[in-house]
Amino acid sequence: MRTRPLKVALLGCGVVGSEVARIMTTHAEDLAARIGAPVELAGVAVRRPSKVREGIDPGLITTDATALVKRGDIDVVIEVIGGIEPARTLITTAFEHGASVVSANKALLAEDGATLYAAAEEHGKDLYFEAAVAGAIPLIRPLRESLAGDKVNRVLGIVNGTTNFILDKMDTSGAGYSEALDEATALGYAEADPTADVEGFDAAAKAAILAGIAFHTRVRLDDVYREGLTDVSAADIASAKRMGCTVKLLAICERAADGQSVTARVHPAMIPLSHPLASVREAYNAVFVEAEAAGQLMFYGPGAGGSPTASAVLGDLVAVCRNRLADSTGPGESAYTQLPVSPMGDVVTRYHISLDVADKPGVLAQVATVFAEHGVSIDTVRQQGKDGEASLVVVTHRAPDAALSGTVEALRKLDTVRGVASIMRVEGE
């Protein structure tokens, strides 16, 4: 074993960063044995130096992150500060000054991963980011390495623990969205401002990363269609139950049937209770991968939190340090296919549509005519009526999303349709 330690700079010392530092200290001997050399925490960049950080030598604390990554003796920089800037500049500066990088920054990778990949390649360094998607679940490395010889056709997953907790509580307890969100906040699953989670931004960033790796093409955050779950109601959950389904916020990345394009989207969807993702409860994450040779694979586990995310960071640290000792690098960007990302309107989906209609003869015929005019085939219809009012629930066969959206707009114009109570996609057949 080499006795001279590999030096590590840590950018950020919040929930994840402090846990990374703790594990590096308490498991120092094991990490050294696995890597083949000791690792030494050489500096910790923070915004508030006066805060007490138990177990971390105060002499390592600095507010000058730029000076830390420019030192020249740093072997690996761990970035867990998040956001676009200054993270992007700090990471590229680290590469320029001879360090490899381990990052948990999903927002930056989804927004401008190409810049980071290019900088890593230019300077012959590693960029690892297992912790950016699904916390402790080993997912990025299997897609980048284990399935590198296969053809991945679809990635379907629950990649945000907060939203899964909310929907699970709505399903199991009958709570409304606001009540479930309040419980998630009280338990620490939701931030004080939950927008990134409940509006789907967090899941969309992860979908962009997964699609890019799975399909060997560049997919940015702006390419991902996104809907949050704030409009999901208790009535939607009840409708799903009547269909033998549950509602999940899904990240869905697909290769087109002709192989000439890909799609990436995040939205609530009904999935059958028989699907493996339907049983994912509380704040857990799970990702379902469909590959040509490997078939169907499922990755499951805690998707967030200090310890799970730190586990993924430390796994990357070990891999990068091993590469450092071997004077080699791991996989870089694979974007050779250069496949375009199709808009949501071209995606073939199914819809569950609940209409409030007048309870009189001919209504169903009018509604069916609208579907036919837009080339959308109906799978099932359920109608209930009382005292002049009725509800009509239609589940479609698969059709282009643009055709389904056009159908809904045409339905709204019918005199016999009082309103569209809910619209939700159906996935996972």
Side-chain angles (χ1 to χ4, degrees):
M1 178 186 292
R2 194 181 88 165
T3 57
R4 182 166 60 85
L6 293 161
K7 294 189 177 183
V8 177
L10 178 61
L11 307 183
C13 198
V15 173
V16 176
S18 59
E19 189 65 9
V20 168
R22 184 192 69 78
I23 295 174
M24 285 185 64
T25 301
T26 58
H27 294 180
E29 291 186 6
D30 287 335
L31 290 172
R34 295 165 191 170
I35 291 168
V39 287
E40 173 188 314
L41 190 59
V44 182
V46 300
R47 286 185 298 177
R48 296 187 294 275
S50 60
K51 181 179 178 181
V52 176
R53 293 172 173 84
E54 187 176 346
I56 298 178
D57 180 357
L60 297 177
I61 301 296
T62 178
T63 57
D64 194 343
T66 301
L68 179 59
V69 300
K70 282 184 174 181
R71 274 178 37 171
D73 64 335
I74 299 298
D75 294 288
V76 183
V77 170
I78 297 175
E79 183 272 310
V80 288
I81 57 177
I84 307 301
E85 289 291 355
R88 174 170 46 200
T89 298
L90 290 170
I91 290 173
T92 55
T93 301
F95 290 137
E96 291 166 4
H97 288 78
S100 290
V101 173
V102 173
S103 176
N105 196 330
K106 55 186 171 286
L108 176 55
L109 286 158
E111 179 68 30
D112 196 17
T115 294
L116 306 187
Y117 278 124
E121 182 177 4
E122 178 184 355
H123 298 285
K125 302 304 174 188
D126 273 324
L127 173 63
Y128 275 55
F129 47 89
E130 185 68 65
V133 180
I137 303 173
L139 181 60
I140 299 299
R141 199 168 302 161
L143 285 173
R144 290 175 94 183
E145 300 178 32
S146 303
L147 295 173
D150 206 340
K151 181 181 179 181
V152 176
N153 291 316
R154 195 171 195 234
V155 180
L156 172 73
I158 298 165
V159 294
N160 183 276
T162 300
T163 53
N164 199 57
F165 179 89
I166 291 170
L167 290 170
D168 185 45
K169 289 302 173 184
M170 292 176 70
D171 181 73
T172 57
S173 71
Y177 166 75
S178 296
E179 297 170 272
L181 174 59
D182 288 344
E183 185 174 353
T185 304
L187 292 172
Y189 293 128
E191 301 287 344
D193 180 1
T195 302
D197 292 324
V198 300
E199 294 294 352
F201 291 101
D202 176 86
K206 295 170 182 176
I209 295 169
L210 291 174
I213 296 171
F215 307 133
H216 303 278
T217 194
R218 285 182 179 170
V219 180
R220 298 179 68 250
L221 180 59
D222 290 346
D223 295 321
V224 182
Y225 174 83
R226 176 192 55 79
E227 287 180 21
L229 55 74
T230 53
D231 290 333
V232 176
S233 66
D236 293 324
I237 302 295
S239 292
K241 285 186 175 182
R242 284 192 291 269
M243 286 179 59
C245 294
T246 189
V247 178
K248 299 291 185 182
L249 185 76
L250 298 179
I252 306 170
C253 311
E254 294 177 303
R255 188 190 300 269
D258 62 5
Q260 300 305 303
S261 64
V262 299
T263 60
R265 51 195 166 106
V266 168
H267 55 72
M270 296 180 180
I271 59 173
L273 295 176
S274 57
H275 194 282
L277 291 179
S279 61
V280 178
R281 300 295 185 186
E282 299 284 332
Y284 277 77
N285 283 192
V287 178
F288 202 69
V289 177
E290 299 176 11
E292 196 168 88
Q296 297 179 333
L297 307 170
M298 183 164 163
F299 301 84
Y300 170 84
S307 295
T309 306
S311 172
V313 169
L314 269 295
D316 278 352
L317 176 64
V318 169
V320 169
C321 286
R322 286 172 175 169
N323 291 344
R324 193 85 174 183
L325 291 177
D327 194 25
S328 65
T329 56
E333 182 181 32
S334 177
Y336 72 92
T337 63
Q338 299 183 19
L339 295 173
V341 182
S342 296
M344 186 62 191
D346 293 345
V347 175
V348 177
T349 63
R350 295 177 67 202
Y351 267 29
H352 173 282
I353 305 169
S354 180
L355 304 171
D356 294 328
V357 300
D359 186 15
K360 62 181 184 180
V363 173
L364 181 56
Q366 287 184 330
V367 169
T369 297
V370 170
F371 278 91
E373 288 173 347
H374 287 80
V376 177
S377 176
I378 295 175
D379 183 12
T380 63
V381 178
R382 186 177 71 253
Q383 184 173 11
Q384 294 177 325
K386 186 178 180 181
D387 299 329
E389 298 296 329
S391 64
L392 190 64
V393 178
V394 179
V395 179
T396 72
H397 285 293
R398 293 170 65 83
D401 201 81
L404 289 161
S405 297
T407 301
V408 172
E409 290 307 307
L411 289 171
R412 294 182 193 275
K413 297 176 182 178
L414 291 178
D415 292 338
T416 51
V417 174
R418 312 291 195 216
V420 179
S422 70
I423 308 167
M424 189 169 294
R425 295 175 182 86
V426 182
E427 297 286 342
E429 311 101 303

